[in-house]
Amino acid sequence: MPEFTLKIRRFLPESGEAPYWQDYTVDLEGHRSVLEGILTAKADQDGTIGIRCSCRAAICGSCGVRINGRAALACKTHLEEALEASESEDGEIVVEPMGNMPVIKDLIVDMDAVHWKKIQRVTPWLLPEGDPPEREYVVPHEAMVDVTQSMACIQCGACVSDCLSMEVDPDFIGPAALAKAYRFVGDPRDGQHSERLNDLAEDPAGIYDCTHCFNCIEACPKGVAPMNQIMRLRRAAGDDYEINDRNNGNRHERAFTSLIRDNGLLWEAELLPRSYGGDSFFGKFAPAAGLELVDSLPSITRAVLRRKVTPMGALKPHKIPKEDLAQVQQIYEKIESQDDRFELNLYIVGEEVEGDTEVAVETEGSSA
């Protein structure tokens, strides 16, 4: 039987000592899970190892940890797969607690302090308008398909653990909570769509605080793709409800996409004035753009001194060859010519089998 070495990050608060690493070697088949490896070490070698677990079937989300530096469910990760992905020089499987949350003991983090606090922030329940119907709410099939991906979340916290925006700004509402928010924004039974979106758009740590790092998509064990849900919240806020937030998020996105359409490349020197000027009377010479430019001068100065950018290079328009630009603009024309924005995340195909209906569900990324 093969041997696997688990390098577990230990933290015993009662000892008063700093966290440290400890190795455990277990004899298990390669198809066994990392969770089984940890529980075997706990049962046979060290009963003080702390880890949460329950179902062992990737349903409850309790056993979220970082394996080889990436968030994952310990019960869903096979030992042989973890060893293959390990970058340890000694061939160890490195297991540590999830990030962006306080550590209580060993691999156990305080979910209440961060994850659940942020879930509560988005009002995670329906807020219907008017009196309830006499019998039941009848929801269109397409509407429920639309929110099914968000509903698949098991609240494991993996996306929160690997969110780079939360590392920089701990106040960021976070991918799990914002994916939960879309579950209700996309539900026709909820009567507070505008209020929810306005709240999330106006919050400096809201939907425009996401930096599109894709870590939450890679970390999610259930294909919820939280970043996709955040982008859909942005589309709904900006396009459907025309919310121009105080964070300038919506205008910034429009400026970004218009520069790509016009030039084929992002022109940073034009991005700021176009974002803050927008469609105002002053255009890109709006006072807000000037104030923002003044605030940005220290960063610009450092970039020039470090030769990351030259004054002429920044001011000179950035454009790609005409033939390439024409292809970029064709993409814009094709998307903008569509009557409706297609964003369904799940495709459900029903096939009748001997009088019964067999339903197959395939997860896809949303097309914004």
Side-chain angles (χ1 to χ4, degrees), residues 261 326-338:
R261 180 186 59 217
Q327 295 182 19
V328 172
Q329 292 175 341
Q330 285 179 1
I331 297 174
Y332 275 80
E333 292 170 1
K334 183 176 181 179
I335 297 299
E336 293 171 351
S337 65
Q338 297 177 355

Side-chain angles (χ1 to χ4, degrees), residues 245-321:
D245 56 287
R246 62 176 177 173
N247 308 305
N248 205 46
N250 183 43
R251 287 185 292 268
H252 179 78
E253 285 196 347
R254 292 183 184 278
F256 197 105
T257 55
S258 66
L259 282 169
I260 300 297
R261 180 186 59 217
D262 296 343
N263 304 309
L265 290 172
L266 178 63
W267 183 11
E268 291 85 353
E270 182 72 8
L271 179 61
L272 189 149
R274 190 177 293 196
S275 296
Y276 281 86
D279 299 325
S280 69
F281 174 77
F282 296 100
K284 64 181 182 180
F285 299 105
L291 292 174
E292 190 66 21
L293 180 60
V294 171
D295 290 340
S296 302
L297 283 178
S299 299
I300 297 172
T301 302
R302 286 195 297 270
V304 172
L305 292 176
R306 295 173 182 176
R307 298 182 181 181
K308 290 186 176 181
V309 64
T310 63
M312 292 305 299
L315 295 175
K316 182 180 179 181
H318 299 179
K319 285 195 174 185
I320 60 176

